[in-house]
Amino acid sequence: MKKYFIFFIVVFGLVLFSACFNDNKSQNETIYTPITPTEQSSNNIPQKVNTLKIEILHFHPKTQCVSCKTIGAYAEETVNTFFSKELNNGRITFRHVNYELPENQDLVMLYRPPGSALCIGVYDDQGHLYIEENFGTWYRLENKDDFMNYLKQLVDMRLNGDLTK
């Protein structure tokens, strides 16, 4: 009897998890399209879009490590240095987002950062939001100029509608 009860609980849990997962997936696909390296060359993600605006979000916890602070500071400096015109006219927005705060949970649910992350959201003229978590910046923290040049080039590509890496 105990074996059947455990089996029932496991099956019920899997069915419940599957229903929740499938429901969230269908809702999220109508809101945004994530850009991942494996999907970038697939037909699901266009290589070129008409970019309306870009969001650059530095997701972080309340207590940040040195790398998290650095990536946020370098990203903000890059955007302020190279994209002041776009910041002023609203074509680019930059924010530091504490993912632990309740008031930021809508952004967290939309972008789904795995923890500390630098995410870029590209809004196109068709009402789509293409979201990517950028990993390349993490590998450039030791060299500020390299970091800034890399992020500048990436943001320039996104402003021009280029969603490739």
Side-chain angles (χ1 to χ4, degrees):
M1 180 73 174
K2 188 175 181 179
K3 288 181 188 178
Y4 292 115
F5 180 74
I6 292 172
F7 176 76
F8 173 78
I9 294 298
V10 170
V11 170
F12 179 77
L14 289 172
V15 169
L16 184 62
F17 175 78
S18 176
C20 291
F21 179 75
N22 287 336
D23 186 42
N24 287 341
K25 184 176 178 186
S26 64
Q27 288 176 359
N28 289 338
E29 285 178 348
T30 61
I31 297 172
Y32 73 94
T33 306
I35 302 173
T36 63
T38 57
E39 291 176 325
Q40 212 154 41
S41 60
S42 74
N43 293 331
N44 296 339
I45 306 293
Q47 303 242 335
K48 189 84 170 151
V49 297
N50 291 321
T51 302
L52 292 181
K53 72 176 190 172
I54 296 175
E55 285 182 323
I56 303 169
L57 303 172
H58 167 232
F59 287 97
H60 63 84
K62 179 180 178 184
T63 304
Q64 298 181 63
C65 68
V66 172
S67 295
C68 294
K69 290 178 185 177
T70 302
I71 204 165
Y74 285 3
E76 184 173 19
E77 185 175 343
T78 301
V79 172
N80 287 333
T81 300
F82 297 110
F83 301 102
S84 60
K85 177 183 167 191
E86 291 84 356
L87 281 169
N88 289 333
N89 67 23
R91 188 145 188 241
I92 291 180
T93 58
F94 177 86
R95 289 179 52 195
H96 298 279
V97 180
N98 181 337
Y99 59 76
E100 296 176 331
L101 296 177
E103 60 264 25
N104 294 329
Q105 290 312 297
D106 287 343
L107 275 176
V108 171
M109 293 305 294
L110 180 62
Y111 277 82
R112 300 200 182 275
S116 296
L118 186 65
C119 295
I120 300 173
V122 176
Y123 291 86
D124 73 5
D125 61 351
Q126 301 296 311
H128 296 102
L129 169 59
Y130 300 96
I131 292 175
E132 66 182 300
E133 178 188 352
N134 184 272
F135 300 104
T137 51
W138 290 99
Y139 297 104
R140 292 167 172 83
L141 290 177
E142 295 295 321
N143 184 328
K144 183 177 176 182
D145 290 336
D146 188 32
F147 179 102
M148 291 178 73
N149 288 331
Y150 170 79
L151 187 57
K152 179 190 181 303
Q153 179 183 6
L154 186 65
V155 172
D156 278 334
M157 288 172 62
R158 301 305 181 252
L159 282 171
N160 291 320
D162 185 350
L163 298 181
T164 64
K165 286 283 183 200

